[in-house]
Amino acid sequence: MGKSTVDASAGFGLRDKLAYAAGDFGCNMSFALKGYLTIYWTQFMGIDNYLMASLLLIVQIWDAINDPIIGAMVDADTRKYRRNKFLAYIWFGAIGLTVAGALCYLPFPQAPGMVKNILFVAGYMIWDAFYTVANVPYGSMLSLISDDPIQRAQLSTFRSIGSMGGALLTGMLIPVIIYDNQNNLRGEQMFVIALIMGLIGLVCFRFMVTNTKVRVDTTITRSTTLSIIARLWAQRWHLSQRLLVCMVPLLQVRSCSRLISRMQRSPALWV
C-alpha cells in the first residue's frame, strides 16, 4: 500500500484528538468485560474449573492467530469505500462488538454442559474477531489522520488518555454493578450490563468515525490470496511465540485449579 499526502495537516485540531481518544474509550467498554468471563462461566453458569482451563486454551489459540489473519484480510480488501476503508471496518467491528459482547453473557445456567461449552467458545471467538476488526484498523488510522510527527504524537497521547479513562471508569463501576451487597455475582443481569456497555462503546465509535478526517491518501495495491498466505507464513515464528505465551498462564490456571480441588477434598492437610 503506497501513500500520498493530501492536505496532510490542514484543519487538524482538538476535534481530531477527541475523536481518536473516543475510539480507545469505546474499545475499553467492551474489553473491560473480558476479565469477568471466567468468573461468570464458572460461578454462575457452572462450568468446571478444569474444563474452563481447557476451553480457555482453545480460545487463546484463536486469540493468538486471529490478529494477523484478520489484519491481512483487511489489508487485502481493495473495494472502494465512501470515506475510508479503515473507518468502514471500525464501524462494522463496533456494531459486532456490541452484539458479541452481550452474547458472551447469555444467561442459561440450566443448559446442558456441552451447550454451555459451545456458547462460551463461540461467543468468545466471535467477540474476539470483531474486536480485532475494530481495533486493528483503529491503530492504522493514526498514520492517515496526519503525516506530521508532532500531530501523530498528540494523537497517541489522546489515545492513551481515552484508554486510561475507559479503564478507570469501567474498573470503578463494573464491580459495583455486577455484585450485590453480599458480594454475589449478578449473573442474570450480566447480559443486560454487557449490552449497555456495548451501546456506550458504539456511541463512542460513532463519534470517532463521524469526526475523523483522513488527510493522508492511500493508494491501494491489489493483494491476492497467495500474498495473504505468504504474509502469514512470514509471521509463523511470531505466531508460534504468541501461542507459547498464551499457554503459560493457562497451565498456571490448571495448576491452581488442581491445588484448590485438593484443598477442598482434604482441608485438614492445609490447616
Side-chain angles (χ1 to χ4, degrees), residues 37 39 61 110 121 126 135 137 139 198 201 250 253 255 260:
L37 278 173
I39 298 174
I61 290 175
Q110 304 304 323
V121 173
I126 294 172
N135 195 254
L250 295 174
V253 170
S255 299
I260 292 173

Coordinates of all heavy atoms in Angstrom, one line a residue, residues 37 39 61 110 121 126 135 137 139 198 201 250 253 255 260:
L37 N -15.2 -12.9 32.4 CA -15.8 -14.1 31.7 C -15.6 -15.3 32.5 O -16.5 -16.1 32.6 CB -15.1 -14.2 30.3 CG -15.7 -13.4 29.2 CD1 -14.9 -13.5 27.9 CD2 -17.1 -13.7 28.9
I39 N -15.1 -15.8 35.7 CA -15.9 -15.7 36.9 C -17.4 -16.1 36.5 O -18.0 -16.9 37.2 CB -15.8 -14.4 37.6 CG1 -14.4 -14.1 38.0 CG2 -16.8 -14.3 38.8 CD1 -14.2 -12.7 38.6
I61 N -5.8 -19.8 21.7 CA -5.1 -20.1 20.5 C -5.7 -19.3 19.3 O -5.0 -18.7 18.5 CB -5.3 -21.6 20.2 CG1 -4.4 -22.5 21.1 CG2 -4.9 -21.9 18.7 CD1 -4.6 -23.9 21.0
Q110 N -29.1 -23.4 33.3 CA -29.7 -24.8 33.3 C -29.4 -25.5 32.0 O -29.9 -26.7 31.8 CB -31.2 -24.7 33.5 CG -31.5 -23.9 34.8 CD -30.9 -24.5 36.1 OE1 -30.8 -25.7 36.2 NE2 -30.5 -23.7 37.0
V121 N -17.2 -20.9 23.9 CA -16.2 -20.8 22.9 C -16.6 -20.0 21.7 O -15.9 -19.1 21.2 CB -15.8 -22.2 22.5 CG1 -14.8 -22.2 21.3 CG2 -15.1 -23.0 23.6
I126 N -16.3 -15.1 18.5 CA -16.9 -14.1 17.7 C -16.6 -12.7 18.2 O -16.3 -11.7 17.5 CB -18.5 -14.3 17.7 CG1 -18.8 -15.6 17.0 CG2 -19.2 -13.1 17.1 CD1 -20.2 -16.0 17.1
N135 N -10.2 -2.9 16.2 CA -9.1 -2.3 16.8 C -7.9 -2.2 15.9 O -7.1 -1.3 16.0 CB -8.7 -3.2 18.1 CG -7.7 -2.5 19.0 OD1 -6.5 -2.8 19.0 ND2 -8.2 -1.5 19.7
P137 N -7.7 -1.7 12.5 CA -7.8 -0.5 11.6 C -7.8 0.8 12.4 O -7.3 1.8 11.9 CB -9.2 -0.7 10.9 CG -9.5 -2.2 11.0 CD -8.9 -2.6 12.3
G139 N -5.9 1.4 15.0 CA -4.5 1.7 15.2 C -3.9 2.2 13.9 O -3.0 3.1 13.9
G198 N -21.8 -2.1 25.7 CA -21.6 -2.2 24.3 C -22.2 -1.0 23.5 O -21.6 -0.5 22.6
G201 N -20.1 2.0 24.1 CA -18.9 1.9 23.2 C -19.3 2.2 21.8 O -18.5 2.9 21.1
L250 N -2.3 -20.4 31.1 CA -3.3 -21.4 31.2 C -2.9 -22.6 31.9 O -3.6 -23.3 32.7 CB -3.8 -21.8 29.8 CG -4.5 -20.7 29.0 CD1 -4.7 -21.1 27.6 CD2 -5.7 -20.3 29.7
V253 N -3.3 -21.7 35.4 CA -4.7 -21.9 35.9 C -5.0 -23.3 36.2 O -5.6 -23.6 37.2 CB -5.6 -21.3 34.8 CG1 -7.1 -21.7 35.1 CG2 -5.5 -19.8 34.6
S255 N -2.9 -25.6 37.2 CA -2.2 -25.9 38.5 C -2.9 -25.4 39.7 O -3.1 -26.1 40.7 CB -0.8 -25.4 38.4 OG 0.0 -26.0 37.3
I260 N -6.6 -26.1 44.4 CA -7.9 -25.8 45.1 C -8.7 -27.0 45.3 O -9.3 -27.2 46.3 CB -8.6 -24.7 44.2 CG1 -7.9 -23.4 44.3 CG2 -10.0 -24.5 44.8 CD1 -8.5 -22.3 43.4

